[in-house]
Amino acid sequence: MTEHFSKGHLLAGIQCPKKLYLSIHNPDAGVPPDEASRLLLDQGTEIGILARNLFPGGYLVNWGGTDGDDPI
């Protein structure tokens, strides 16, 4: 198992510690995001891209997230 901690994990932990645990140890048990949620996730990805463009000397830390699980 690849170790990673994503924005999604952080948000899950803020909402509910059990949700965080399950998102890490049993990620396939969740319900896939609906279209509205998918659009919000895509917007978050776009914001991350824009932020990296504002700081061209920085770099993206990729923790080996899976599809739909953006790195921090």
Side-chain angles (χ1 to χ4, degrees):
M1 179 170 106
T2 302
E3 296 291 328
H4 65 279
F5 194 81
S6 69
K7 292 180 285 186
H9 290 124
L10 177 63
L11 292 173
I14 289 170
Q15 292 174 353
C16 173
K18 185 175 181 180
K19 184 174 182 180
L20 170 60
Y21 177 86
L22 291 173
S23 70
I24 293 172
H25 296 287
N26 195 5
D28 296 331
V31 177
D34 60 9
E35 185 64 26
S37 296
R38 186 80 241 159
L39 289 173
L40 287 173
L41 292 169
D42 291 344
Q43 285 178 350
T45 300
E46 297 249 347
I47 289 170
I49 291 168
L50 291 172
R52 287 192 302 278
N53 289 334
L54 289 174
F55 300 95
Y59 58 93
L60 174 64
V61 177
N62 189 344
W63 292 83
T66 58
D67 184 33
D69 198 11
D70 299 329
I72 295 176

Short mmCIF file of all heavy atoms in Angstrom, two decimals:
data_model
loop_
_atom_site.label_atom_id
_atom_site.label_comp_id
_atom_site.label_asym_id
_atom_site.label_seq_id
_atom_site.Cartn_x
_atom_site.Cartn_y
_atom_site.Cartn_z
N MET A 1 0.84 -1.17 0.00
CA MET A 1 0.00 0.00 0.00
C MET A 1 0.89 1.24 0.00
O MET A 1 1.81 1.36 0.77
CB MET A 1 -0.90 0.00 1.24
CG MET A 1 -1.80 1.22 1.32
SD MET A 1 -3.03 1.06 2.61
CE MET A 1 -2.35 2.17 3.81
N THR A 2 0.60 2.18 -0.89
CA THR A 2 1.33 3.43 -0.96
C THR A 2 0.82 4.38 0.12
O THR A 2 -0.38 4.59 0.23
CB THR A 2 1.15 4.08 -2.35
OG1 THR A 2 1.60 3.17 -3.34
CG2 THR A 2 1.93 5.36 -2.45
N GLU A 3 1.73 4.94 0.89
CA GLU A 3 1.35 5.88 1.93
C GLU A 3 1.16 7.26 1.31
O GLU A 3 2.03 7.74 0.60
CB GLU A 3 2.43 5.95 3.01
CG GLU A 3 2.62 4.65 3.75
CD GLU A 3 1.45 4.29 4.65
OE1 GLU A 3 0.81 5.20 5.18
OE2 GLU A 3 1.19 3.10 4.81
N HIS A 4 0.03 7.89 1.55
CA HIS A 4 -0.21 9.25 1.10
C HIS A 4 -1.31 9.88 1.94
O HIS A 4 -2.11 9.20 2.55
CB HIS A 4 -0.58 9.29 -0.39
CG HIS A 4 -1.88 8.61 -0.69
ND1 HIS A 4 -1.99 7.24 -0.83
CD2 HIS A 4 -3.12 9.11 -0.88
CE1 HIS A 4 -3.25 6.94 -1.09
NE2 HIS A 4 -3.96 8.05 -1.13
N PHE A 5 -1.27 11.19 2.00
CA PHE A 5 -2.28 11.94 2.73
C PHE A 5 -2.70 13.09 1.84
O PHE A 5 -1.88 13.94 1.50
CB PHE A 5 -1.72 12.45 4.06
CG PHE A 5 -2.78 12.94 5.00
CD1 PHE A 5 -3.50 12.04 5.76
CD2 PHE A 5 -3.06 14.28 5.11
CE1 PHE A 5 -4.49 12.48 6.63
CE2 PHE A 5 -4.03 14.75 5.97
CZ PHE A 5 -4.75 13.83 6.73
N SER A 6 -3.94 13.11 1.41
CA SER A 6 -4.41 14.08 0.43
C SER A 6 -5.31 15.13 1.07
O SER A 6 -5.68 15.04 2.24
CB SER A 6 -5.19 13.35 -0.66
OG SER A 6 -6.40 12.86 -0.12
N LYS A 7 -5.67 16.13 0.25
CA LYS A 7 -6.63 17.14 0.70
C LYS A 7 -7.94 16.46 1.08
O LYS A 7 -8.59 16.84 2.05
CB LYS A 7 -6.90 18.16 -0.40
CG LYS A 7 -5.72 19.06 -0.71
CD LYS A 7 -6.05 20.05 -1.81
CE LYS A 7 -6.07 19.36 -3.14
NZ LYS A 7 -6.23 20.26 -4.28
N GLY A 8 -8.31 15.45 0.32
CA GLY A 8 -9.54 14.71 0.62
C GLY A 8 -9.49 14.03 1.98
O GLY A 8 -10.48 14.00 2.71
N HIS A 9 -8.33 13.48 2.32
CA HIS A 9 -8.17 12.86 3.63
C HIS A 9 -8.31 13.90 4.74
O HIS A 9 -8.95 13.65 5.76
CB HIS A 9 -6.82 12.15 3.75
CG HIS A 9 -6.71 10.93 2.92
ND1 HIS A 9 -5.71 10.75 2.00
CD2 HIS A 9 -7.47 9.81 2.86
CE1 HIS A 9 -5.85 9.58 1.41
NE2 HIS A 9 -6.93 8.99 1.93
N LEU A 10 -7.68 15.05 4.53
CA LEU A 10 -7.77 16.12 5.53
C LEU A 10 -9.23 16.53 5.75
O LEU A 10 -9.69 16.63 6.89
CB LEU A 10 -6.94 17.32 5.09
CG LEU A 10 -7.00 18.54 6.00
CD1 LEU A 10 -6.44 18.22 7.38
CD2 LEU A 10 -6.27 19.70 5.38
N LEU A 11 -9.95 16.73 4.67
CA LEU A 11 -11.35 17.13 4.78
C LEU A 11 -12.19 16.03 5.45
O LEU A 11 -13.07 16.32 6.26
CB LEU A 11 -11.92 17.48 3.42
CG LEU A 11 -11.33 18.74 2.78
CD1 LEU A 11 -11.84 18.91 1.36
CD2 LEU A 11 -11.65 19.96 3.62
N ALA A 12 -11.90 14.78 5.12
CA ALA A 12 -12.62 13.67 5.75
C ALA A 12 -12.37 13.65 7.25
O ALA A 12 -13.30 13.44 8.05
CB ALA A 12 -12.20 12.34 5.12
N GLY A 13 -11.11 13.90 7.66
CA GLY A 13 -10.77 13.91 9.07
C GLY A 13 -11.44 15.05 9.83
O GLY A 13 -11.81 14.90 10.99
N ILE A 14 -11.60 16.20 9.17
CA ILE A 14 -12.28 17.32 9.79
C ILE A 14 -13.75 16.99 9.99
O ILE A 14 -14.34 17.31 11.01
CB ILE A 14 -12.10 18.60 8.94
CG1 ILE A 14 -10.65 19.07 9.03
CG2 ILE A 14 -13.06 19.70 9.39
CD1 ILE A 14 -10.30 20.18 8.06
N GLN A 15 -14.35 16.32 9.01
CA GLN A 15 -15.77 15.97 9.09
C GLN A 15 -16.03 14.89 10.13
O GLN A 15 -16.98 14.97 10.90
CB GLN A 15 -16.28 15.50 7.73
CG GLN A 15 -16.31 16.59 6.69
CD GLN A 15 -16.68 16.05 5.32
OE1 GLN A 15 -16.79 14.85 5.11
NE2 GLN A 15 -16.84 16.95 4.37
N CYS A 16 -15.16 13.86 10.14
CA CYS A 16 -15.41 12.71 11.01
C CYS A 16 -14.16 11.83 11.06
O CYS A 16 -13.68 11.39 10.02
CB CYS A 16 -16.60 11.93 10.46
SG CYS A 16 -16.92 10.36 11.29
N PRO A 17 -13.62 11.55 12.25
CA PRO A 17 -12.43 10.70 12.35
C PRO A 17 -12.63 9.32 11.72
O PRO A 17 -11.72 8.77 11.10
CB PRO A 17 -12.18 10.59 13.85
CG PRO A 17 -12.80 11.81 14.43
CD PRO A 17 -14.00 12.09 13.56
N LYS A 18 -13.83 8.76 11.84
CA LYS A 18 -14.09 7.45 11.26
C LYS A 18 -14.05 7.52 9.74
O LYS A 18 -13.55 6.61 9.07
CB LYS A 18 -15.44 6.92 11.72
CG LYS A 18 -15.71 5.50 11.24
CD LYS A 18 -17.00 4.96 11.81
CE LYS A 18 -17.25 3.55 11.35
NZ LYS A 18 -18.51 3.02 11.91
N LYS A 19 -14.53 8.62 9.18
CA LYS A 19 -14.50 8.81 7.73
C LYS A 19 -13.05 8.86 7.24
O LYS A 19 -12.72 8.28 6.21
CB LYS A 19 -15.25 10.09 7.35
CG LYS A 19 -15.34 10.30 5.87
CD LYS A 19 -16.22 11.50 5.55
CE LYS A 19 -16.35 11.68 4.05
NZ LYS A 19 -17.19 12.82 3.70
N LEU A 20 -12.18 9.52 8.00
CA LEU A 20 -10.76 9.56 7.65
C LEU A 20 -10.17 8.15 7.68
O LEU A 20 -9.49 7.74 6.73
CB LEU A 20 -9.99 10.47 8.61
CG LEU A 20 -8.46 10.42 8.52
CD1 LEU A 20 -8.00 10.83 7.13
CD2 LEU A 20 -7.85 11.28 9.59
N TYR A 21 -10.44 7.42 8.74
CA TYR A 21 -9.92 6.06 8.86
C TYR A 21 -10.35 5.19 7.68
O TYR A 21 -9.54 4.53 7.05
CB TYR A 21 -10.39 5.43 10.18
CG TYR A 21 -9.95 3.99 10.32
CD1 TYR A 21 -8.70 3.69 10.85
CD2 TYR A 21 -10.77 2.94 9.91
CE1 TYR A 21 -8.28 2.38 10.98
CE2 TYR A 21 -10.35 1.63 10.02
CZ TYR A 21 -9.10 1.35 10.55
OH TYR A 21 -8.69 0.05 10.66
N LEU A 22 -11.64 5.24 7.37
CA LEU A 22 -12.15 4.42 6.27
C LEU A 22 -11.62 4.88 4.92
O LEU A 22 -11.37 4.05 4.04
CB LEU A 22 -13.68 4.42 6.27
CG LEU A 22 -14.32 3.68 7.44
CD1 LEU A 22 -15.83 3.88 7.43
CD2 LEU A 22 -13.97 2.21 7.43
N SER A 23 -11.43 6.19 4.75
CA SER A 23 -10.92 6.68 3.46
C SER A 23 -9.49 6.20 3.21
O SER A 23 -9.08 6.06 2.06
CB SER A 23 -10.99 8.21 3.40
OG SER A 23 -10.05 8.81 4.25
N ILE A 24 -8.75 5.92 4.27
CA ILE A 24 -7.38 5.42 4.11
C ILE A 24 -7.35 3.89 4.05
O ILE A 24 -6.71 3.31 3.19
CB ILE A 24 -6.49 5.93 5.27
CG1 ILE A 24 -6.32 7.44 5.15
CG2 ILE A 24 -5.14 5.22 5.27
CD1 ILE A 24 -5.62 8.08 6.32
N HIS A 25 -8.09 3.23 4.93
CA HIS A 25 -7.98 1.77 5.06
C HIS A 25 -8.98 1.00 4.21
O HIS A 25 -8.79 -0.21 4.00
CB HIS A 25 -8.13 1.37 6.53
CG HIS A 25 -7.02 1.91 7.38
ND1 HIS A 25 -5.74 1.42 7.35
CD2 HIS A 25 -6.99 2.95 8.25
CE1 HIS A 25 -4.98 2.10 8.17
NE2 HIS A 25 -5.72 3.05 8.73
N ASN A 26 -10.04 1.64 3.75
CA ASN A 26 -11.04 0.97 2.92
C ASN A 26 -11.63 1.97 1.93
O ASN A 26 -12.83 2.24 1.96
CB ASN A 26 -12.12 0.35 3.81
CG ASN A 26 -12.97 -0.65 3.06
OD1 ASN A 26 -12.70 -0.96 1.91
ND2 ASN A 26 -14.00 -1.15 3.71
N PRO A 27 -10.80 2.53 1.04
CA PRO A 27 -11.26 3.61 0.17
C PRO A 27 -12.34 3.20 -0.83
O PRO A 27 -13.11 4.04 -1.28
CB PRO A 27 -9.99 4.06 -0.55
CG PRO A 27 -9.07 2.89 -0.48
CD PRO A 27 -9.40 2.18 0.80
N ASP A 28 -12.44 1.93 -1.15
CA ASP A 28 -13.44 1.48 -2.13
C ASP A 28 -14.84 1.37 -1.54
O ASP A 28 -15.80 1.15 -2.28
CB ASP A 28 -13.03 0.14 -2.73
CG ASP A 28 -11.73 0.25 -3.53
OD1 ASP A 28 -11.46 1.35 -4.06
OD2 ASP A 28 -10.98 -0.74 -3.58
N ALA A 29 -14.96 1.53 -0.23
CA ALA A 29 -16.27 1.38 0.41
C ALA A 29 -17.16 2.61 0.23
O ALA A 29 -18.36 2.54 0.43
CB ALA A 29 -16.10 1.11 1.90
N GLY A 30 -16.58 3.73 -0.16
CA GLY A 30 -17.34 4.97 -0.29
C GLY A 30 -18.20 5.00 -1.54
O GLY A 30 -18.07 4.19 -2.45
N VAL A 31 -19.08 5.97 -1.57
CA VAL A 31 -19.94 6.20 -2.72
C VAL A 31 -19.19 7.11 -3.69
O VAL A 31 -18.63 8.12 -3.27
CB VAL A 31 -21.26 6.87 -2.29
CG1 VAL A 31 -22.14 7.18 -3.47
CG2 VAL A 31 -21.98 6.00 -1.27
N PRO A 32 -19.16 6.78 -4.98
CA PRO A 32 -18.48 7.66 -5.93
C PRO A 32 -19.14 9.04 -5.94
O PRO A 32 -20.34 9.16 -5.74
CB PRO A 32 -18.67 6.97 -7.28
CG PRO A 32 -19.26 5.65 -7.00
CD PRO A 32 -19.76 5.63 -5.60
N PRO A 33 -18.34 10.10 -6.18
CA PRO A 33 -18.91 11.45 -6.17
C PRO A 33 -19.90 11.65 -7.31
O PRO A 33 -19.72 11.11 -8.40
CB PRO A 33 -17.69 12.36 -6.33
CG PRO A 33 -16.62 11.49 -6.88
CD PRO A 33 -16.92 10.10 -6.44
N ASP A 34 -20.94 12.43 -7.03
CA ASP A 34 -21.90 12.76 -8.09
C ASP A 34 -21.30 13.85 -8.97
O ASP A 34 -20.19 14.31 -8.76
CB ASP A 34 -23.24 13.19 -7.48
CG ASP A 34 -23.13 14.41 -6.58
OD1 ASP A 34 -22.05 15.05 -6.54
OD2 ASP A 34 -24.12 14.74 -5.92
N GLU A 35 -22.03 14.27 -9.98
CA GLU A 35 -21.52 15.24 -10.95
C GLU A 35 -21.16 16.57 -10.27
O GLU A 35 -20.11 17.15 -10.57
CB GLU A 35 -22.55 15.48 -12.05
CG GLU A 35 -22.07 16.39 -13.16
CD GLU A 35 -20.89 15.84 -13.96
OE1 GLU A 35 -20.72 14.61 -14.01
OE2 GLU A 35 -20.12 16.66 -14.51
N ALA A 36 -21.99 17.06 -9.36
CA ALA A 36 -21.70 18.33 -8.68
C ALA A 36 -20.43 18.22 -7.85
O ALA A 36 -19.59 19.12 -7.86
CB ALA A 36 -22.88 18.74 -7.81
N SER A 37 -20.26 17.11 -7.13
CA SER A 37 -19.06 16.91 -6.33
C SER A 37 -17.83 16.79 -7.22
O SER A 37 -16.76 17.31 -6.90
CB SER A 37 -19.19 15.67 -5.46
OG SER A 37 -20.23 15.81 -4.53
N ARG A 38 -18.00 16.11 -8.33
CA ARG A 38 -16.88 15.95 -9.27
C ARG A 38 -16.43 17.32 -9.79
O ARG A 38 -15.24 17.58 -9.93
CB ARG A 38 -17.34 15.05 -10.43
CG ARG A 38 -16.25 14.69 -11.39
CD ARG A 38 -15.40 13.56 -10.85
NE ARG A 38 -14.05 14.08 -10.73
CZ ARG A 38 -13.11 13.58 -9.96
NH1 ARG A 38 -13.35 12.55 -9.20
NH2 ARG A 38 -11.93 14.10 -9.90
N LEU A 39 -17.39 18.21 -10.08
CA LEU A 39 -17.05 19.55 -10.55
C LEU A 39 -16.27 20.32 -9.48
O LEU A 39 -15.31 21.02 -9.79
CB LEU A 39 -18.31 20.31 -10.96
CG LEU A 39 -18.98 19.84 -12.24
CD1 LEU A 39 -20.31 20.57 -12.45
CD2 LEU A 39 -18.07 20.06 -13.44
N LEU A 40 -16.68 20.19 -8.21
CA LEU A 40 -15.95 20.84 -7.12
C LEU A 40 -14.53 20.29 -6.99
O LEU A 40 -13.58 21.04 -6.77
CB LEU A 40 -16.70 20.68 -5.80
CG LEU A 40 -17.97 21.51 -5.64
CD1 LEU A 40 -18.69 21.12 -4.36
CD2 LEU A 40 -17.65 22.99 -5.65
N LEU A 41 -14.39 18.98 -7.12
CA LEU A 41 -13.06 18.38 -7.06
C LEU A 41 -12.18 18.88 -8.21
O LEU A 41 -11.00 19.19 -8.02
CB LEU A 41 -13.17 16.86 -7.10
CG LEU A 41 -13.80 16.20 -5.88
CD1 LEU A 41 -14.08 14.73 -6.16
CD2 LEU A 41 -12.93 16.36 -4.66
N ASP A 42 -12.77 18.99 -9.39
CA ASP A 42 -12.03 19.49 -10.55
C ASP A 42 -11.62 20.95 -10.34
O ASP A 42 -10.52 21.35 -10.74
CB ASP A 42 -12.86 19.35 -11.82
CG ASP A 42 -13.04 17.90 -12.24
OD1 ASP A 42 -12.28 17.03 -11.75
OD2 ASP A 42 -13.94 17.64 -13.06
N GLN A 43 -12.49 21.75 -9.71
CA GLN A 43 -12.15 23.14 -9.42
C GLN A 43 -10.97 23.20 -8.45
O GLN A 43 -10.08 24.04 -8.61
CB GLN A 43 -13.34 23.89 -8.83
CG GLN A 43 -14.39 24.24 -9.84
CD GLN A 43 -15.58 24.94 -9.21
OE1 GLN A 43 -15.72 25.00 -7.98
NE2 GLN A 43 -16.45 25.48 -10.04
N GLY A 44 -10.95 22.33 -7.47
CA GLY A 44 -9.83 22.27 -6.53
C GLY A 44 -8.53 21.95 -7.24
O GLY A 44 -7.47 22.53 -6.94
N THR A 45 -8.59 21.05 -8.21
CA THR A 45 -7.41 20.72 -8.99
C THR A 45 -6.94 21.93 -9.79
O THR A 45 -5.74 22.23 -9.84
CB THR A 45 -7.71 19.54 -9.93
OG1 THR A 45 -8.08 18.41 -9.14
CG2 THR A 45 -6.50 19.18 -10.78
N GLU A 46 -7.89 22.64 -10.40
CA GLU A 46 -7.55 23.84 -11.18
C GLU A 46 -6.91 24.91 -10.29
O GLU A 46 -5.94 25.57 -10.68
CB GLU A 46 -8.80 24.42 -11.84
CG GLU A 46 -9.44 23.48 -12.84
CD GLU A 46 -9.30 23.98 -14.26
OE1 GLU A 46 -8.93 25.15 -14.45
OE2 GLU A 46 -9.55 23.18 -15.16
N ILE A 47 -7.42 25.08 -9.07
CA ILE A 47 -6.86 26.06 -8.14
C ILE A 47 -5.42 25.67 -7.79
O ILE A 47 -4.54 26.52 -7.71
CB ILE A 47 -7.74 26.20 -6.88
CG1 ILE A 47 -9.03 26.91 -7.25
CG2 ILE A 47 -7.00 26.93 -5.77
CD1 ILE A 47 -10.08 26.91 -6.18
N GLY A 48 -5.19 24.40 -7.60
CA GLY A 48 -3.83 23.94 -7.32
C GLY A 48 -2.88 24.25 -8.46
O GLY A 48 -1.74 24.67 -8.25
N ILE A 49 -3.34 24.07 -9.68
CA ILE A 49 -2.52 24.38 -10.86
C ILE A 49 -2.23 25.88 -10.90
O ILE A 49 -1.09 26.30 -11.13
CB ILE A 49 -3.22 23.90 -12.14
CG1 ILE A 49 -3.24 22.37 -12.18
CG2 ILE A 49 -2.52 24.46 -13.39
CD1 ILE A 49 -4.16 21.80 -13.25
N LEU A 50 -3.26 26.70 -10.68
CA LEU A 50 -3.06 28.15 -10.68
C LEU A 50 -2.09 28.58 -9.59
O LEU A 50 -1.23 29.44 -9.80
CB LEU A 50 -4.40 28.87 -10.51
CG LEU A 50 -5.38 28.76 -11.68
CD1 LEU A 50 -6.74 29.35 -11.30
CD2 LEU A 50 -4.82 29.47 -12.91
N ALA A 51 -2.20 27.98 -8.41
CA ALA A 51 -1.30 28.32 -7.30
C ALA A 51 0.14 27.98 -7.66
O ALA A 51 1.06 28.75 -7.37
CB ALA A 51 -1.73 27.58 -6.03
N ARG A 52 0.35 26.83 -8.28
CA ARG A 52 1.72 26.46 -8.68
C ARG A 52 2.26 27.42 -9.73
O ARG A 52 3.46 27.70 -9.76
CB ARG A 52 1.76 25.02 -9.19
CG ARG A 52 1.62 24.01 -8.05
CD ARG A 52 1.96 22.60 -8.48
NE ARG A 52 1.15 22.10 -9.57
CZ ARG A 52 -0.06 21.56 -9.45
NH1 ARG A 52 -0.62 21.47 -8.25
NH2 ARG A 52 -0.71 21.11 -10.49
N ASN A 53 1.39 27.96 -10.59
CA ASN A 53 1.84 28.93 -11.59
C ASN A 53 2.23 30.25 -10.94
O ASN A 53 3.07 30.97 -11.46
CB ASN A 53 0.75 29.17 -12.64
CG ASN A 53 0.58 27.99 -13.56
OD1 ASN A 53 1.50 27.21 -13.77
ND2 ASN A 53 -0.61 27.84 -14.11
N LEU A 54 1.63 30.59 -9.79
CA LEU A 54 1.99 31.81 -9.08
C LEU A 54 3.36 31.71 -8.42
O LEU A 54 4.00 32.72 -8.14
CB LEU A 54 0.94 32.14 -8.01
CG LEU A 54 -0.41 32.63 -8.52
CD1 LEU A 54 -1.40 32.77 -7.35
CD2 LEU A 54 -0.26 33.96 -9.24
N PHE A 55 3.79 30.49 -8.13
CA PHE A 55 5.07 30.26 -7.47
C PHE A 55 5.91 29.31 -8.33
O PHE A 55 6.08 28.13 -8.02
CB PHE A 55 4.85 29.66 -6.08
CG PHE A 55 4.03 30.55 -5.18
CD1 PHE A 55 2.67 30.37 -5.07
CD2 PHE A 55 4.64 31.59 -4.49
CE1 PHE A 55 1.91 31.21 -4.26
CE2 PHE A 55 3.90 32.42 -3.67
CZ PHE A 55 2.53 32.24 -3.56
N PRO A 56 6.47 29.84 -9.45
CA PRO A 56 7.15 28.97 -10.40
C PRO A 56 8.39 28.28 -9.84
O PRO A 56 8.82 27.27 -10.38
CB PRO A 56 7.52 29.91 -11.55
CG PRO A 56 7.45 31.28 -11.00
CD PRO A 56 6.47 31.24 -9.87
N GLY A 57 8.98 28.77 -8.75
CA GLY A 57 10.15 28.12 -8.17
C GLY A 57 9.79 26.93 -7.30
O GLY A 57 10.64 26.16 -6.91
N GLY A 58 8.51 26.79 -7.00
CA GLY A 58 8.07 25.68 -6.14
C GLY A 58 7.92 24.39 -6.92
O GLY A 58 8.16 24.33 -8.12
N TYR A 59 7.52 23.35 -6.24
CA TYR A 59 7.31 22.08 -6.90
C TYR A 59 6.15 21.33 -6.26
O TYR A 59 5.82 21.56 -5.10
CB TYR A 59 8.58 21.22 -6.88
CG TYR A 59 9.10 20.93 -5.49
CD1 TYR A 59 8.72 19.77 -4.83
CD2 TYR A 59 9.95 21.81 -4.85
CE1 TYR A 59 9.18 19.50 -3.55
CE2 TYR A 59 10.42 21.55 -3.57
CZ TYR A 59 10.04 20.40 -2.94
OH TYR A 59 10.50 20.14 -1.68
N LEU A 60 5.55 20.46 -7.02
CA LEU A 60 4.43 19.66 -6.56
C LEU A 60 4.96 18.44 -5.81
O LEU A 60 5.82 17.72 -6.32
CB LEU A 60 3.58 19.20 -7.75
CG LEU A 60 2.44 18.24 -7.44
CD1 LEU A 60 1.41 18.92 -6.55
CD2 LEU A 60 1.80 17.78 -8.74
N VAL A 61 4.48 18.23 -4.61
CA VAL A 61 4.85 17.05 -3.84
C VAL A 61 3.78 16.01 -4.11
O VAL A 61 2.64 16.14 -3.70
CB VAL A 61 4.93 17.35 -2.32
CG1 VAL A 61 5.24 16.09 -1.54
CG2 VAL A 61 5.96 18.43 -2.07
N ASN A 62 4.11 14.98 -4.86
CA ASN A 62 3.17 13.94 -5.21
C ASN A 62 3.38 12.75 -4.28
O ASN A 62 4.45 12.16 -4.25
CB ASN A 62 3.35 13.52 -6.66
CG ASN A 62 2.26 12.60 -7.13
OD1 ASN A 62 1.53 12.02 -6.33
ND2 ASN A 62 2.15 12.45 -8.43
N TRP A 63 2.34 12.41 -3.54
CA TRP A 63 2.43 11.31 -2.58
C TRP A 63 1.85 10.02 -3.14
O TRP A 63 1.49 9.12 -2.40
CB TRP A 63 1.70 11.69 -1.29
CG TRP A 63 2.39 12.77 -0.57
CD1 TRP A 63 2.28 14.11 -0.80
CD2 TRP A 63 3.35 12.63 0.46
NE1 TRP A 63 3.10 14.80 0.04
CE2 TRP A 63 3.76 13.91 0.84
CE3 TRP A 63 3.88 11.54 1.12
CZ2 TRP A 63 4.69 14.12 1.82
CZ3 TRP A 63 4.80 11.76 2.11
CH2 TRP A 63 5.21 13.03 2.45
N GLY A 64 1.72 9.93 -4.45
CA GLY A 64 1.25 8.70 -5.07
C GLY A 64 -0.22 8.49 -4.93
O GLY A 64 -0.69 7.36 -4.83
N GLY A 65 -1.01 9.58 -4.93
CA GLY A 65 -2.45 9.47 -4.83
C GLY A 65 -3.05 8.72 -6.01
O GLY A 65 -2.44 8.60 -7.06
N THR A 66 -4.23 8.21 -5.82
CA THR A 66 -4.92 7.50 -6.89
C THR A 66 -5.80 8.47 -7.64
O THR A 66 -5.92 9.62 -7.28
CB THR A 66 -5.79 6.35 -6.31
OG1 THR A 66 -6.71 6.92 -5.39
CG2 THR A 66 -4.93 5.34 -5.61
N ASP A 67 -6.43 8.04 -8.69
CA ASP A 67 -7.28 8.88 -9.50
C ASP A 67 -8.35 9.53 -8.62
O ASP A 67 -9.03 8.86 -7.86
CB ASP A 67 -7.97 8.05 -10.59
CG ASP A 67 -8.79 8.91 -11.52
OD1 ASP A 67 -8.41 10.06 -11.76
OD2 ASP A 67 -9.83 8.41 -11.99
N GLY A 68 -8.46 10.85 -8.71
CA GLY A 68 -9.43 11.57 -7.90
C GLY A 68 -8.97 11.86 -6.50
O GLY A 68 -9.70 12.41 -5.70
N ASP A 69 -7.73 11.53 -6.21
CA ASP A 69 -7.20 11.74 -4.88
C ASP A 69 -5.97 12.63 -5.00
O ASP A 69 -4.84 12.17 -5.06
CB ASP A 69 -6.82 10.39 -4.26
CG ASP A 69 -6.67 10.46 -2.75
OD1 ASP A 69 -7.04 11.48 -2.17
OD2 ASP A 69 -6.17 9.48 -2.21
N ASP A 70 -6.19 13.94 -5.10
CA ASP A 70 -5.14 14.88 -5.38
C ASP A 70 -4.13 14.95 -4.25
O ASP A 70 -4.50 14.93 -3.10
CB ASP A 70 -5.71 16.28 -5.61
CG ASP A 70 -6.65 16.34 -6.78
OD1 ASP A 70 -6.42 15.56 -7.73
OD2 ASP A 70 -7.58 17.14 -6.76
N PRO A 71 -2.84 15.09 -4.61
CA PRO A 71 -1.84 15.30 -3.57
C PRO A 71 -2.01 16.69 -2.97
O PRO A 71 -2.56 17.57 -3.58
CB PRO A 71 -0.51 15.19 -4.32
CG PRO A 71 -0.84 15.46 -5.74
CD PRO A 71 -2.27 15.03 -5.94
N ILE A 72 -1.49 16.87 -1.80
CA ILE A 72 -1.56 18.17 -1.13
C ILE A 72 -0.64 19.12 -1.84
O ILE A 72 0.45 18.82 -2.15
CB ILE A 72 -1.18 18.06 0.36
CG1 ILE A 72 -2.20 17.20 1.07
CG2 ILE A 72 -1.09 19.42 1.01
CD1 ILE A 72 -1.90 16.94 2.51
#
